[in-house]
Amino acid sequence: MDAQQFLAEFGHFAEAPGGVARLRELVLQLGISGRLSERVPGDTSARALIELNRKRQRTLVAQKALKRQPDPKQVVEGDQPWVLPDDWTWTRLGYVTNYGDSPKIEFEDVSEETWVLELEDIEKGTSKLLSKVLARDRKFKSTKNGFPAGAVLYGKLRPYLDKVLIAEYPGVCTTEISPISFFENIEAGYLRWYLKSPYFISYADGSTYGMNLPRLGTDSAREALFPFPPQREQSRIIAKVDELMALCDQLEAQQHDRRKVQNALRQSTLQAITSAQSPHELQESWQRLHANFESLFSVPADVRLLRDMLFDLALRGILLAQSKLTASDDSSNEDRSPLPEGWEWKTLADLSEYITSGSRGWKAYMASAGDSFIRSQDIRQDELIFDNPAFVTLPERVEGKRTLVRQGDLLLTITGGNVGRCAVVPDLPNSAYVSQHVALIRLQKPSLSEFIHFWMVNAFGGRAFLERYIYGDKPGLNLVQVGSVPIPVPPAHVLPDILTTLRRHLQLCDALVEQLNAMNDVAEKLCTAAVATLTGITIERKVDAPVKTPQTELIAPLRLGTPPDVKAQAPLATLLVRHNGEMQARDLWQRFGGEIDAFYAQLKVEVAHGWIATPSVAGVREKAADAAGA
């Protein structure tokens, strides 16, 4: 593929999953290989610049301003990954920089105004500085690396290998960041883009050490091949890369805006179908969906709402052949749309023997084995999932026996971060009880459990009804609200056909998800191949490769400090409020739902405000083999 063909197909590449990221990689790779800039007549060659660099380096070592470090091995012809333009030359990073040499700083060495930089302060991908924290607000205990203004700060921990910052001010940083303060005759901007290039990231990723938190070793970093450009050409490369990166940012923003419009259009189109009041209105809305189907459903996540729309139509009998809609007995109730003849609206309470929840005080009966104890976190993806099970052992006479579940019961989470999730109890190998955070719904007719479960997990059905009650700092449901959910109940003789239709549509939606995944996978591979063709090199991506590490868990507890105001932006403290003021750091992170660096950045903010008490030093322990595999 040549540049002309690439430009002709640019739209396909840009719209592929990760397409803009691949474009950024293309820009950086072309930049450090000299293919984004023209030669400058009379420019100082790279070899001359390296000689001046080495001379200055020897002077600083003699003055004890730099530490003497062993030189990396010489570059031989067979080492060179690609051919550089005239007046460029290959060298090694440690030959022309002081990588690995930075002063060690303790807290008593700094003032309150000293900048203290941690990895979570730098945004992954963009390398933008998210927050600047001073020593008065970040009283560190561990040794830090010192750096001057203008230093290039490189995050060497493997999950953060694309975090590279040019320091606007002097300060100190975690030892997981390597400051590069000497790089004579190398523009800081060029060095930064080189460290963020796919070539260097691939090299660093393949040169890490350590099991739990792999990092790039100093010796390996200093041995990295470095394409050294002539002096004035460096400035041209920086300007061109900055310009193209800004265009990539603009393209990404436009895609984001278009995605928002697409989401709104999809929502309104499907809503029009579910709220249609006549066959003519339903047909018009369905034709609109058909005409825009490909643009409305382009990624797997889009299919969930389509699935729920189909479920809604099936659950209300609209997909049945020759169904004739009749007005409900309570036509003024907006939750009760017309149903086919023979159907009727009933509440969940009407259909249940009882609706209850677990008792308090279960902690006294917790055990390492015994009967299963169903908590809200065990209900995920609207299924009962025991990947980290809890157990109880109850005496014969105890009030909690009433919450013993049986096959076909419905379970609904009524408190916590996943409130409103519903599961059907399968055939369990042992007895099981629900916690106080889970509602147990014992139906009068277990044959309706699958039908009602489809309704309860539907964004247009039971879930939409319950969401009106789930709001505020402590979202939750009481049992009266659960019992008030309106359910469209079909005649017994059509129930098998309805369930068959629901299962069939579920299979079709799953097949569509697989098809979209396959299409997007092909598009992503095509984009990656195009970048490799245009750059002339293939970057091996090892980021997603499995790492053989022991199963570990973070064991630091986090506790509520001063409860935040309702209007405060304190999502972590709000979660702690909902969980009795204390959670394990791992659990809080999982409920927060963001990347780990974003979680720690938010945690720092809330600790600084006093909303979360200053945590003790976190520990990591290895899980027992049986627990890890449970």
Side-chain angles (χ1 to χ4, degrees):
M1 176 178 290
D2 57 20
Q4 186 175 0
Q5 185 181 359
F6 176 80
L7 291 175
E9 302 293 337
F10 180 82
H12 295 294
F13 297 127
E15 294 299 325
V20 177
R22 301 291 85 77
L23 290 175
R24 290 192 178 102
E25 291 179 357
L26 174 62
V27 168
L28 290 176
Q29 196 60 43
L30 293 177
I32 66 169
S33 60
R35 297 167 65 183
L36 280 184
S37 53
E38 296 180 353
R39 313 290 81 80
V40 180
D43 203 354
T44 306
S45 71
R47 292 187 181 279
L49 296 177
I50 291 174
E51 288 184 16
L52 294 172
N53 175 292
R54 295 291 290 174
K55 181 178 180 181
R56 178 61 177 163
Q57 195 173 154
R58 288 191 291 269
T59 300
L60 293 175
V61 169
Q63 297 173 350
K64 300 190 181 303
L66 282 183
K67 181 175 70 175
R68 184 185 298 278
Q69 299 186 82
D71 285 342
K73 61 185 179 182
Q74 291 293 317
V75 180
V76 297
E77 187 173 349
D79 294 335
Q80 302 172 11
W82 63 83
V83 177
L84 292 174
D86 293 341
D87 289 334
W88 287 54
T89 193
W90 284 105
T91 183
R92 296 192 187 271
L93 189 63
Y95 194 75
V96 290
T97 73
N98 70 324
Y99 188 103
D101 173 22
S102 56
K104 303 304 178 185
I105 308 295
E106 307 296 337
F107 184 72
E108 55 267 22
D109 300 326
V110 305
S111 70
E112 289 189 342
E113 301 300 315
T114 299
W115 178 19
V116 183
L117 179 68
E118 298 288 347
L119 274 170
E120 60 263 28
D121 299 336
I122 307 172
E123 186 175 50
K124 187 177 180 179
T126 67
S127 291
K128 293 177 182 177
L129 184 65
L130 296 173
S131 60
K132 182 184 177 185
V133 185
L134 304 182
R136 63 168 174 263
D137 299 317
R138 183 176 274 167
K139 296 177 173 58
F140 58 89
K141 295 181 181 179
S142 58
T143 300
K144 302 293 182 185
N145 286 334
F147 59 83
V152 177
L153 308 175
Y154 171 71
K156 62 182 180 180
L157 202 61
R158 190 168 76 172
Y160 309 104
L161 285 178
D162 61 348
K163 291 192 173 186
V164 190
L165 192 71
I166 299 176
E168 294 186 23
Y169 311 95
V172 298
C173 62
T174 173
T175 53
E176 300 295 358
I177 295 177
S178 290
I180 308 174
S181 56
F182 174 83
F183 42 91
E184 189 83 3
N185 295 320
I186 305 173
E187 293 276 354
Y190 178 78
L191 179 57
R192 174 178 179 265
W193 287 130
Y194 161 76
L195 292 171
K196 287 180 68 65
S197 70
Y199 168 73
F200 185 78
I201 289 176
S202 178
Y203 169 82
D205 187 59
S207 306
T208 54
Y209 70 94
M211 293 185 65
N212 290 331
L213 294 172
R215 54 185 52 80
L216 176 63
T218 298
D219 290 343
S220 295
R222 290 178 58 79
E223 291 290 336
L225 289 165
F226 180 73
F228 204 127
Q231 191 166 50
R232 281 183 282 176
E233 193 170 345
Q234 292 184 37
S235 298
R236 291 191 172 192
I237 293 170
I238 297 168
K240 181 58 69 174
V241 170
D242 288 346
E243 177 189 356
L244 294 175
M245 287 297 184
L247 291 174
C248 286
D249 291 343
Q250 182 180 346
L251 175 60
E252 198 168 48
Q254 290 173 348
Q255 290 178 342
H256 178 71
D257 290 343
R258 189 175 69 252
R259 181 70 177 163
K260 288 171 62 177
V261 173
Q262 181 191 42
N263 291 342
L265 179 59
R266 181 173 56 255
Q267 177 76 34
S268 62
T269 301
L270 297 179
Q271 190 71 50
I273 292 174
T274 61
S275 60
Q277 297 298 308
S278 67
H280 176 70
E281 194 175 327
L282 177 61
Q283 184 179 13
E284 280 192 340
S285 300
W286 194 269
Q287 288 175 346
R288 191 179 309 118
L289 171 65
H290 182 268
N292 297 282
F293 192 87
E294 289 188 6
S295 61
L296 293 178
F297 304 99
S298 55
V299 298
D302 299 340
V303 180
R304 177 60 186 260
L305 204 58
L306 172 66
R307 188 208 72 173
D308 284 354
M309 181 271 292
L310 294 171
F311 283 5
D312 180 66
L313 298 181
L315 289 160
R316 291 190 289 119
I318 296 175
L319 294 185
L320 287 177
Q322 298 179 341
S323 61
K324 181 180 179 182
L325 301 183
T326 60
S328 64
D329 294 336
D330 185 4
S331 58
S332 63
N333 191 326
E334 62 179 9
D335 300 314
R336 304 192 175 191
S337 57
L339 295 174
E341 291 181 353
W343 291 55
E344 59 180 328
W345 284 101
K346 290 189 177 182
T347 66
L348 193 55
D350 294 334
L351 299 169
S352 303
E353 289 184 14
Y354 59 83
I355 299 175
T356 187
S357 62
S359 306
R360 297 180 182 273
W362 282 91
K363 197 170 185 179
Y365 307 117
M366 300 298 290
S368 58
D371 297 329
S372 295
F373 187 54
I374 301 172
R375 306 153 297 171
S376 60
Q377 58 262 45
D378 297 321
I379 301 174
R380 301 194 310 278
Q381 300 161 8
D382 293 309
E383 295 181 31
L384 194 56
I385 301 175
F386 291 120
D387 58 2
N388 185 24
F391 301 96
V392 291
T393 301
L394 296 183
E396 281 301 319
R397 293 187 177 182
V398 65
E399 190 268 344
K401 289 285 187 180
R402 66 181 174 81
T403 63
L404 176 66
V405 304
R406 71 185 185 194
Q407 185 177 1
D409 284 344
L410 293 176
L411 304 179
L412 185 76
T413 56
I414 53 177
T415 64
N418 63 338
V419 61
R421 303 301 165 188
C422 186
V424 178
V425 176
D427 183 16
L428 297 175
N430 57 343
S431 298
Y433 300 86
V434 297
S435 76
Q436 69 191 69
H437 306 293
V438 177
L440 187 159
I441 304 163
R442 177 69 48 81
L443 297 174
Q444 297 173 14
K445 296 180 180 179
S447 59
L448 285 173
S449 63
E450 185 180 6
F451 178 89
I452 296 177
H453 179 257
F454 273 115
W455 178 258
M456 295 297 291
V457 303
N458 183 8
F460 298 101
R463 183 153 292 162
F465 180 84
L466 288 175
E467 281 181 353
R468 70 188 65 185
Y469 301 115
I470 306 172
Y471 60 88
D473 292 335
K474 297 181 179 180
L477 298 167
N478 61 47
L479 299 183
V480 173
Q481 291 165 343
V482 173
S484 68
V485 176
I487 309 290
V489 182
H493 70 278
V494 302
L495 181 60
D497 289 341
I498 295 293
L499 292 177
T500 298
T501 299
L502 288 166
R503 295 170 193 145
R504 176 57 180 159
H505 284 125
L506 181 59
Q507 292 175 348
L508 290 174
C509 288
D510 288 345
L512 178 58
V513 168
E514 291 182 6
Q515 181 182 357
L516 290 174
N517 275 324
M519 290 172 57
N520 289 335
D521 184 57
V522 170
E524 185 174 10
K525 289 179 178 177
L526 177 61
C527 187
T528 300
V531 171
T533 301
L534 288 169
T535 58
I537 62 171
T538 300
I539 303 298
E540 294 185 7
R541 305 183 189 281
K542 300 181 181 179
V543 176
D544 296 327
V547 180
K548 294 183 179 179
T549 61
Q551 292 285 335
T552 59
E553 56 183 339
L554 194 61
I555 59 175
L558 294 175
R559 297 180 178 87
L560 186 68
T562 303
D565 183 80
V566 175
K567 297 181 180 179
Q569 297 296 316
L572 301 182
T574 300
L575 285 169
L576 288 176
V577 169
R578 299 175 192 165
H579 291 80
N580 301 318
E582 181 175 340
M583 293 178 69
Q584 293 296 314
R586 177 177 175 272
D587 293 337
L588 185 59
W589 166 46
Q590 289 180 338
R591 292 185 181 277
F592 175 68
E595 293 188 356
I596 188 65
D597 50 336
F599 167 75
Y600 277 118
Q602 183 63 35
L603 178 61
K604 297 283 186 181
V605 171
E606 297 191 31
V607 169
H609 282 85
W611 298 326
I612 296 178
T614 302
S616 56
V617 177
V620 174
R621 67 183 175 203
E622 186 169 344
K623 293 182 181 178
D626 55 346

